[in-house]
Amino acid sequence: MTTVGVLGGGQLGRLLALAGYPLGLRFRFLDPAADAPAGHVADHIFAPYDEEHLARFAADVDVVTYEFENVPAGAAAFLARRVPVYPPPRALEVTQDRLEEKLFLRHLQIPTAEFAALDDTWGSVFEALERLALPVVMKRRRLGYDGGGQRLLRTMAEVEAAWVALGSSPAVLEGLVGFTRELSLIAVRGRDGDVGYYPLVENRHVDGILRHSLAPAPNVEPRLQAEAEDYAARVLTTLGYVGVLTVEFFERDGRLLVNELAPRVHNSGHWTIEGAATSQFENHLRAILGLPLGSTLPVGCSAMVNLIGTLPDPQPILRLPDTHLHLYGKAPRRGRKLGHVTARVAAPGLLEERVRVLQHLIGEPDGTGTGLAHLNRV
Amino acid sequence: MTTVGVLGGGQLGRLLALAGYPLGLRFRFLDPAADAPAGHVADHIFAPYDEEHLARFAADVDVVTYEFENVPAGAAAFLARRVPVYPPPRALEVTQDRLEEKLFLRHLQIPTAEFAALDDTWGSVFEALERLALPVVMKRRRLGYDGGGQRLLRTMAEVEAAWVALGSSPAVLEGLVGFTRELSLIAVRGRDGDVGYYPLVENRHVDGILRHSLAPAPNVEPRLQAEAEDYAARVLTTLGYVGVLTVEFFERDGRLLVNELAPRVHNSGHWTIEGAATSQFENHLRAILGLPLGSTLPVGCSAMVNLIGTLPDPQPILRLPDTHLHLYGKAPRRGRKLGHVTARVAAPGLLEERVRVLQHLIGEPDGTGTGLAHLNRV
């Protein structure tokens, strides 16, 4: 019986376990939060990521993975000396630091927003602004998640205030990208180097939090999908990556810029549970266990809507055809992802209507996520 | 947070929990076996069905259901005085006793095999054989499961030996039904009386154990489906049933005879996880929780093959298109159901070929389940 150890016990971990049980796997989660959602469905070691607990954790599991990218890189490296860890800890190091990530992408000749590193001197800000025109986005280099740690700055006064608020945290400044829409690609690479790509997904954010995904993204030419896969392939190969990798893109003038990388299963891939031949969760597990990857082909068209902050009445949602409710067992709290709903339809033209029906049922104002996504996002 | 209490912690319970987590449910299983498969994925109270443990169990859950029909009826009745129990304990009483079940079906004018009750006198056997011609099947009235507790008897000498072996256990004698094939219907009834029926499934048994199911069963005329639904409806309504009910049929001369009832989710409904809009497990939970039932429409055609006794190499199975492995986390043992595989195909004509491929991969001899199913079964 193979036991998978997971660092982090949030909903992504919970969904991993639910996908892994049919493969006969056992799961053990290490998470310092007492009420981790994965703890309802699997063993949960409620402990900090210190060496004593990590050593004990490593002894009890056959392979380790993680469900969020802010796992201390030292913890992953410590575990990797005792038990296989996938994705490789190097992927954590690159993606935990927005500057490292941008430099890594530049090295691979993958387009991103213009950026400049800030140190703790005003001079570095000034120098950056010689290259980047206002408005700009100031981002902390570390611990960004769901739009946290970033501010849109329109004026020099705002820049100065943000820089003061930053204290001496390392940061980057990014040029604002005028984009048509946000897309993401869920990619997976097996231990044998085999790779799979799901179709590009269209994502809509509000306040930096994903609200809706349409999958496959409507109006994607094969050339755009190929471009996305090419960029993902460079990242996967360079890192010797194993598992699911998510690449978030901006689409601008029919081309892609990488916004960020997530070395894990991703909210914009939840639709794959019902909407693809094999879910991102099952494929991540297949990858890290050295099993053959499953087909990434879509099954129909899917609209995924997040349930944020409050829990809707499940009754009308459960009455909709081919509509699947996923709750994470979390207590309601403002801005918290409590679950999601995936509705499958036969054709892309039906997706928007289904999103509107779901928005109505979950009490989301009309037009949410359909406006200026980027300005909302930063 | 609703907690569902389940009596029995086998694979059916495990699959119920995996279907219920996305609905935000918690699960607690009561099972006297230490290694109950549901215990890997949920809380497992490892205790006997005595009043002390039942009372404590009732206090911790919001609703109770069961995943096997040999739950002591007294235990269900004890619980029903403290917490809602679905399906109703009366369904357990009827289905636990083969004679009660047959009399109940006769009362509802639902055709079955010819039968006669035996008491502990040889005279009752003799009397039965005046009505039923040899060969006959002798079945214990209680604790039958997977073909256990039944014997096919061809001669008077076999009858006598079987009767002696029976001791004084109550039993029934049944006429042997010459049938074309075995079918089953998974039905579900909600707390509001709403009902749903999945399409009839064709089942093949060996030694009383289900080996393969084809769903929807090929070559089923609408009239046959209607007949099955009519019989199921009589049972559901009469029992005030809530939850999933399985009706096993023999098909003979284009008509149906009921073989037996199972007041629970069923192995011949496992295909619904991938092969139907809503799985039997999710619909059972929706029913007992008073949620709207989900669609029972099939999605493509499914072949379900049980993994019995030994675990196959998962690699070639996972390479097949639209093929889904489900392991129960059980240690291999002769005759034990360790998991199942469901393969989805686009048309019924492709089902047999897919079954043959799976048989080959799991090391099952060709022709298993395609021979004299009934003679194998008894």
Side-chain angles (χ1 to χ4, degrees), chain A residues 1 14 17-18 20-26 39-43 192 276-278 282 286 289-295 299 314-316 318-319 322-331 344, chain B residues 1 14 17-18 20-26 39-43 192 276-278 282 286 289-295 299 314-316 318-319 322-331 344:
Chain A
M1 196 80 70
R14 176 180 166 109
L18 296 183
Y21 285 132
L23 299 175
L25 304 174
R26 307 282 297 254
H40 307 163
V41 308
D43 291 340
D192 60 358
T278 315
E282 182 172 341
R286 289 188 185 211
L289 294 166
L291 293 168
L293 300 183
S295 163
V299 179
Q315 303 252 2
L318 294 175
R319 281 200 186 88
D322 213 351
T323 299
H324 305 271
L325 179 63
H326 295 266
L327 300 178
Y328 308 148
K330 292 160 84 172
R344 246 181 347 188
Chain B
M1 195 82 68
R14 177 180 166 110
L18 296 184
Y21 285 132
L23 300 174
L25 304 174
R26 305 283 297 253
H40 307 163
V41 307
D43 291 340
D192 59 358
T278 316
E282 182 171 340
R286 289 189 185 210
L289 294 166
L291 293 168
L293 301 182
S295 163
V299 179
Q315 303 250 3
L318 294 175
R319 281 200 186 89
D322 213 349
T323 299
H324 305 273
L325 179 63
H326 294 266
L327 299 179
Y328 308 147
K330 292 160 84 172
R344 247 182 346 188

Side-chain angles (χ1 to χ4, degrees), chain B residues 88-165:
Chain B
R90 172 83 184 120
L92 279 183
E93 290 165 26
V94 167
T95 58
Q96 275 177 358
D97 182 324
R98 291 185 200 272
L99 180 62
E100 283 267 348
E101 186 175 279
K102 284 281 194 302
L103 294 169
F104 174 75
L105 291 166
R106 177 188 283 171
H107 171 71
L108 296 179
Q109 303 186 283
I110 297 173
T112 66
E114 295 292 308
F115 67 94
L118 303 187
D119 58 29
D120 58 358
T121 66
W122 177 247
S124 69
V125 180
F126 208 74
E127 206 173 299
L129 286 172
E130 290 190 342
R131 287 201 295 111
L132 310 174
L134 288 171
V136 292
V137 185
M138 190 179 287
K139 297 183 176 179
R140 283 175 196 276
R141 279 174 58 179
R142 293 185 162 274
L143 298 174
Y145 180 68
D146 273 352
Q150 40 184 298
R151 285 165 89 163
L152 172 67
L153 309 171
R154 293 175 185 83
T155 65
M156 276 310 290
E158 283 181 358
V159 171
E160 202 170 336
W163 185 74
V164 170

Side-chain angles (χ1 to χ4, degrees), chain B residues 4-255:
Chain B
V4 178
V6 185
L7 299 179
Q11 61 263 24
L12 297 175
R14 177 180 166 110
L15 294 168
L16 268 178
L18 296 184
Y21 285 132
L23 300 174
L25 304 174
R26 305 283 297 253
F27 287 85
R28 179 166 283 229
F29 290 86
L30 183 64
D31 193 312
D35 62 345
H40 307 163
V41 307
D43 291 340
H44 168 207
I45 315 303
F46 166 38
Y49 301 120
D50 61 25
E51 297 207 345
E52 180 198 336
H53 290 99
L54 289 169
R56 223 182 300 162
F57 185 67
D60 286 339
V61 301
D62 300 293
V63 59
V64 165
T65 190
Y66 35 88
E67 56 105 58
F68 74 121
E69 61 270 47
N70 293 320
V71 172
F78 178 87
L79 288 168
R81 290 193 291 276
R82 287 161 178 78
V83 63
V85 175
Y86 301 111
R90 172 83 184 120
L92 279 183
E93 290 165 26
V94 167
T95 58
Q96 275 177 358
D97 182 324
R98 291 185 200 272
L99 180 62
E100 283 267 348
E101 186 175 279
K102 284 281 194 302
L103 294 169
F104 174 75
L105 291 166
R106 177 188 283 171
H107 171 71
L108 296 179
Q109 303 186 283
I110 297 173
T112 66
E114 295 292 308
F115 67 94
L118 303 187
D119 58 29
D120 58 358
T121 66
W122 177 247
S124 69
V125 180
F126 208 74
E127 206 173 299
L129 286 172
E130 290 190 342
R131 287 201 295 111
L132 310 174
L134 288 171
V136 292
V137 185
M138 190 179 287
K139 297 183 176 179
R140 283 175 196 276
R141 279 174 58 179
R142 293 185 162 274
L143 298 174
Y145 180 68
D146 273 352
Q150 40 184 298
R151 285 165 89 163
L152 172 67
L153 309 171
R154 293 175 185 83
T155 65
M156 276 310 290
E158 283 181 358
V159 171
E160 202 170 336
W163 185 74
V164 170
L166 198 63
S168 50
S169 302
V172 286
L173 218 54
E174 289 183 19
L176 192 65
V177 177
F179 62 82
T180 327
R181 58 175 172 170
E182 294 184 85
L183 299 168
S184 63
L185 184 78
I186 312 287
V188 58
R189 186 169 181 271
R191 268 156 58 174
D192 59 358
D194 189 25
V195 292
Y197 304 101
Y198 291 89
L200 279 165
V201 179
E202 180 175 325
N203 301 314
R204 294 164 185 174
H205 297 84
V206 178
D207 298 333
I209 300 180
L210 181 66
R211 289 281 172 164
H212 314 146
S213 294
L214 306 184
N219 306 314
V220 167
E221 313 237 328
R223 199 197 45 70
L224 202 70
Q225 177 76 25
E227 188 178 323
E229 293 184 7
D230 171 39
Y231 294 153
R234 294 183 209 176
V235 173
L236 292 172
T237 313
T238 308
L239 292 174
Y241 199 90
V242 173
V244 161
L245 171 81
T246 305
V247 187
E248 292 187 61
F249 296 102
F250 298 127
E251 184 183 0
R252 182 177 66 182
D253 303 330
R255 302 300 302 266

